[in-house]
Amino acid sequence: MNSSEEIAVSAMSAGRPALRMGPAELVQAAAMARRFYLEGKSKIQIAEEFGVSRFKVARVLETALERDLVRIEIRVPAELDAERSDALRARYGLRHAVVVEAPADAAEESPDPENLGAVAADLLGELVNEGDVLGLAWGRSTIHMAAALHRLPPCTVVQLTGVYDAGTAERGSVEAVRRAAQVSGGEAHPIYAPMLLPDPATAAALRNQTGIARAFEYFDKVTVACVSIGSWEPGISTVHDMLTDEERAHYASLGVAAEMSAHLFDTEGRRVGRDLGERCITVEADRLRRIPEVVAIAGGHRKAAAIGAVLRSGLVTSLVTDTAAADFLLHETGPGPRPALDRADPDGD
């Protein structure tokens, strides 16, 4: 039985309705319930043991629930919000949605809460299979995730983007890739290059360098990817912070609402400012869309609208977030979003 679920079965009256059952009925119902819920026996097996039909067993089990003879409690760790998680998964058509409790003091919330990374690390432990290729994009959330990793099946780990600053590579994306590969015992393919370059020609030249080109060759083989999301404001998007004031104003005029792996999106999930990608070392959007599982890690009030925009882009299949962002996403007005698992491009490209 799953450790997060507890089945309580009692032969004693658990409320006034149970008193209407006679003692023999109570004992039999409790015994059948114990066989079914605690011992995992089928209704057919129980029917054979007690010499009754399986339909009789079904009625007894139903009555036991109705009369509070059996109490079923579903428990998850306190930091996880199962109800919001399921509602968010259903609303956005995600494969997985995991919602954790937001910081108690929302005014002092971090733009990238470390607890999201820890939960995402556990999720990757479930999603990654032996022989997979795991892709990690630059982002504080993915760095937190990699630091929290404790188990991964043997897999290849590849970096999907350059880094915010080549001088911080040892404690950033490169180290995250090394850490994940160390935990899994697989190969690591880091990218020793900044994410943003001065011009497209410089970026193209770097992409052709042997080490970077080798990492790019793995992009089409990635089976599970982990990405971060930023909103278009200082301190919340590293790409925003890398640009000049003039460039920020230009992309803002195009309606940028979110950034993910140096790709910019408006509120409807459409890509804007595509010229920026020509200057960046990053996985292309069409390649990202073909990756079977793309897990985004992002939370907080300040990122909530940006998360919604990226979920509408068709590039993400699963999400790890917090209650602050989930509440915003669950109460967004307007038409319902297209299911994320459709992987549809809002631009129709």
Side-chain angles (χ1 to χ4, degrees):
M1 179 170 298
N2 192 303
S3 61
S4 67
E5 299 184 6
E6 178 179 299
I7 309 298
V9 180
S10 172
M12 298 183 66
S13 301
R16 185 168 298 173
L19 294 175
R20 295 175 185 152
M21 297 178 71
E25 292 176 311
L26 278 170
V27 170
Q28 184 183 68
M32 288 184 176
R34 188 174 300 279
R35 303 290 194 281
F36 185 73
Y37 291 108
L38 299 183
E39 298 176 12
K41 291 188 175 180
S42 69
K43 293 174 184 176
I44 293 176
Q45 290 174 313
I46 297 170
E48 291 175 351
E49 179 181 348
F50 286 87
V52 297
S53 72
R54 61 185 176 89
F55 301 106
K56 167 71 172 178
V57 174
R59 287 196 299 272
V60 170
L61 293 175
E62 183 178 350
T63 300
L65 284 171
E66 290 175 349
R67 300 191 178 186
D68 204 24
L69 184 64
V70 173
R71 297 185 304 277
I72 301 176
E73 297 180 9
I74 300 176
R75 297 179 178 177
V76 296
E79 70 271 16
L80 298 183
D81 192 310
E83 185 174 352
R84 284 186 176 92
S85 297
D86 188 55
L88 196 61
R89 179 200 56 76
R91 175 172 172 77
Y92 285 88
L94 294 159
R95 182 172 290 115
H96 303 284
V98 182
V99 178
V100 304
E101 288 294 331
D105 188 348
E108 297 182 4
E109 70 177 17
S110 164
D112 298 283
E114 292 192 25
N115 63 333
L116 294 185
V119 172
D122 288 340
L123 178 61
L124 282 189
E126 295 181 53
L127 299 181
V128 176
N129 296 306
E130 183 173 351
D132 277 350
V133 177
L134 172 64
L136 301 182
W138 196 97
R140 286 180 290 260
S141 294
T142 52
I143 291 171
H144 293 327
M145 180 278 300
L149 280 172
H150 295 291
R151 63 183 179 93
L152 271 181
C155 64
T156 299
V157 186
V158 61
Q159 194 168 321
L160 296 179
T161 66
V163 297
Y164 174 52
D165 181 345
T168 65
E170 288 305 309
R171 56 183 184 274
S173 303
V174 172
E175 181 55 34
V177 169
R178 287 176 174 167
R179 166 67 181 167
Q182 180 183 30
V183 172
S184 74
E187 295 181 1
H189 294 275
I191 293 177
Y192 295 96
M195 180 187 292
L196 181 66
L197 281 304
D199 53 68
T202 304
L206 275 179
R207 291 189 201 104
N208 288 326
Q209 288 189 357
T210 303
I212 297 175
R214 185 178 299 116
F216 268 64
E217 289 173 359
Y218 275 91
F219 286 0
D220 287 330
K221 303 174 185 178
V222 174
T223 50
V224 181
C226 192
V227 300
S228 296
I229 296 172
S231 55
W232 201 243
E233 57 180 303
I236 309 297
S237 165
T238 52
V239 172
H240 176 282
D241 294 343
M242 284 188 279
L243 298 173
T244 66
D245 290 341
E246 183 179 357
E247 289 171 329
R248 293 168 190 158
H250 165 66
Y251 290 117
S253 72
L254 301 179
V256 176
E259 174 268 318
M260 180 182 70
S261 302
H263 299 296
L264 309 181
F265 307 89
D266 66 12
T267 56
E268 297 302 315
R270 295 184 292 260
R271 289 180 59 212
V272 296
R274 298 190 182 205
D275 60 303
L276 181 63
E278 298 175 4
R279 298 169 49 194
C280 293
I281 303 297
T282 185
V283 59
E284 300 94 326
D286 60 341
R287 279 178 159 174
L288 198 59
R289 198 182 305 279
R290 292 196 296 268
I291 296 174
E293 182 75 83
V294 179
V295 181
I297 312 170
H301 293 291
R302 297 174 67 185
K303 284 191 176 184
I307 296 169
V310 172
L311 291 182
R312 284 184 279 273
S313 73
L315 295 176
V316 168
T317 60
S318 297
L319 174 69
V320 177
T321 190
D322 61 15
T323 51
D327 285 342
F328 175 90
L329 295 168
L330 289 171
H331 295 95
E332 277 191 308
T333 57
R338 184 179 299 180
L341 289 178
D342 285 356
R343 312 304 295 274
D345 186 343
D347 293 320
D349 293 345

